Amino acid sequence: MAVNLVPLFLVSLAAVGYETALTRYFAVAKWSEYGYWVISIVMVGFALSGVVLALWRDGFARRAPVLMAALPAVLVLTAAAGYHFTTTNPFNPLQLQNPATWQPQIWNIAGYYAALLPFFFLAGLFISLNFVRNAQHIGRVYAFDLTGAGAGAASVLAAMYAVHAFGLVPLLLVPLALAAVFTGGPHRSKAVLAAVLALGLAEAVLLLDNEAAYNDFKAIYAPLHTPDAKIVAEVSSPRGDYALLDDFTERVDTDISNNAGMLGVEGPPRSYGLYRDGNRIAALPKGQPIKPSYAAAALDALPYELIPHARVMLAGASGGFRTAEALRLGASQVRVLEPEPELLRIMRDGLGPVLPIDAAPGVRIRGAGPLAGTGGGVYDVVDLSADFLDAADTNATAFTREALVSYLHILAPGGIVSIPVSIRDFPVYALRVLSTVRAALVSAGIGDPAAHVIVYRSAWNVRILVSRDGWSPARIAVARKFCDDRSFDMSWYPGLDVVKARTNIYNDLPAVSFDKGEVESEGPDDAIADEAQAVLSGHPSPSKDQFNLAPITLDQPFFYAVLRLDRIGTIMKRLEILPQAEVGALVNLAVLAQAVVIAALVLLVPLAAPGRIRAPRAGVLRSVVYFPALALGFLFIEIYLIEKASFWLGDRTDGFALVLTGMLVFSGLGSLLSERFGARPRHGMALVAAVVLAWCVAALLFLEPLILGTLDWPIWARGSLLLILIAPVSVALGLPFPLGLSTAGTGGFLPWAWGLNGAFSVVATPLANLIAREAGFSRVLLCAAILYGIALVTFPAMRKITVWHDIPAPSPAAE
């Protein structure tokens, strides 16, 4: 008989779309790091649904026609209620970091689970019932599930171009209601009526009482609530929701000397503020042309004084201000690389009251990252703008060892690389960048890195200047005079006497022990100067014992990752002083701990109720390894590919969308192919393991050189090549799950196996993130290859269970 899987497709579409919309909500209203919870709640809901169905399979199977008809309407209501209660939850992550206020926030976190878990539990139940009712067509069911999920990811990302993140969920209720329309059987008319009524009620609640808003700890909140502040333009896209803010506090965010007045220099001009997801990413000019009269007093002006009329490669235009500053400081040519697509578009086309940036002689602007711009030119200065790091997620790759080596290769004789580091939160970030600079210089064949580096700073920011040719006494003298005239401090230059330098510090930066939480220096100090020489020389330093100072690399491109997670006790004691960007690692650990507990509970189901699972002991023992290995391996490969695709395409949203959609669709095709191995499932699994192993080895050896060699290709060409690379492994990854389920019989084992897959999918994401942070993404891929090898060895090739009476899915005639 024909199998009706359209409702499954629609529910899978809506479930993944809802998950993506919730992740966007957390990124905009809270902080993106807390989006880990959404992934956790999704998979916990799916895992629990599999467990419940495994334990009470007979009862659910008898009532399947009624449940399948009723669930679309219930899903509409639980999705709407879950989102409403999520938006009204008073969770405040800053209070979570405060020892005096953290306890109520734990209850708020529990509130998120209470609000969202019902929807994902019921969605998982709907999907699981489709597997149980169509046990003879596992490959086809899994294909509709995966392709529906892929369509959901693609649909919600497309919707983001027209709809603000806070308005996505109402759209996703429609496919849930449509699932009732395609439901067959005698309950169809009642199902449609219930779904329509539920949809009307849910849409009314969400559209008329939408409580979603920026929280008061987001950067946009304070300026938005100043007198006469207003948002003068908005742009919605998958990359973020952009708001152009006009208020009296907005200025060009550059580090100006306290002596600007003595130098006869005006302060930074007023500007508009461009915010993405509530975080400020750039100042935009009020009127043209930009007049950066303040440029000579800025911290980042020194390279232009050292090299007059420099040929400059500038990473990040800072809304056009940084380009104008470089010209004001005498640059003869400026090649601007702006990888943030919306900033690039605004500079070319304008936005609201912001006019397009006037073309200037000698200036070329290109939409690419620094690593894509290191071919075909020689420069006197390679200058990374101060706001470049936080302007886009993938910009951290511009600070990696590999990137710094590429900058050194395009320098003209006497050329300089200028690297910014903010020390507003932790001065240790400057030391980690110095460690990366040392690794780059060593990779470039330079034996004494300390002789090629100058470090100077204000109270809030550091500039690290790197010269391939070393620093002459004359240049060092110019740099010292520049700093003295502007009350900046020299933290390192070849020949610096650190003890003597302490007697003339303009901006005190005392050494603070992270372990003790105490200031360790007496009198004026420069904590960076105290350790710079040791770090550049590769010697031990006090901060190396307390923090992670390992070089930033393309394999570990985490700029904000200085916390040593093996010192978790100390970290928890200093929770209130941690930078927001470092909190994500702790949230990841918390989600991982919870996921391990959930996975253990799901694993224990056969022991608690072996009669309900109805599978041979040998089959169960193999399955408790096989299905978790599949869940971990699939997501490890997916997370590896998302990271590499994000770097390749220059945008995390594009990389995420293309990889997720491509993998799900191609895996769905692979699932359809699994039915061809019905008589020989183990042979199919052996083929999968061979393909995955070969693909992983090829990716480890050749993917990074391929990416670096094609960064300057058009984005459509890079995206097409990415899909070609994804296709073979994704098709292979679609086979093992239905092949394993096809041997499991039709009892409670099948939904339990589904639950196992969901439970270990909860574990996979935070575990992969932890491995990548501590050992690199190459280790994540290596683990994936090992996991598929384990899956091959533990393939649950048991015989069909016939000793109990299956309850067949009702035929269309019976319904």
Side-chain angles (χ1 to χ4, degrees), residues 30 100 103 172 253 275 283 361 497 557 599 624 630 635 661 690 786 806:
K30 311 292 182 180
Q103 289 181 325
L172 295 164
D253 188 13
Y275 293 78
D497 185 332
V624 298
L630 296 185
L635 279 169
T661 304
I786 294 171
D806 263 344

Side-chain angles (χ1 to χ4, degrees), residues 147-272:
T147 53
S155 299
V156 77
L157 287 164
M160 289 180 194
Y161 283 107
V163 180
H164 190 278
F166 295 159
L168 290 171
V169 169
L171 296 178
L172 295 164
L173 302 183
V174 176
L176 289 173
L178 281 176
V181 175
F182 290 95
T183 299
H187 307 288
R188 180 178 179 276
S189 58
K190 293 180 181 179
V192 172
L193 177 61
V196 170
L197 293 175
L199 181 64
L201 176 62
E203 296 288 8
V205 170
L206 294 184
L207 296 177
L208 299 178
D209 188 27
N210 191 343
E211 298 288 334
Y214 296 112
N215 276 48
D216 55 9
F217 51 81
K218 297 288 283 195
I220 196 174
Y221 185 87
L224 186 58
H225 289 80
T226 56
D228 300 322
K230 56 185 177 181
I231 293 176
V232 294
E234 291 184 278
V235 177
S236 293
S237 83
R239 298 181 183 90
D241 290 294
Y242 297 81
L244 185 65
L245 186 60
D246 184 11
D247 68 278
F248 76 89
T249 69
E250 300 294 343
R251 294 287 192 279
V252 177
D253 188 13
T254 189
D255 203 338
I256 300 295
S257 165
N258 293 330
N259 302 346
M262 297 171 58
L263 295 169
V265 172
E266 297 179 6
R270 287 191 61 182
S271 68
Y272 296 104

Side-chain angles (χ1 to χ4, degrees), residues 369-387:
L371 276 166
T374 53
V378 176
Y379 302 94
D380 301 302
V381 175
V382 175
D383 188 358
L384 307 185
S385 297
D387 58 1

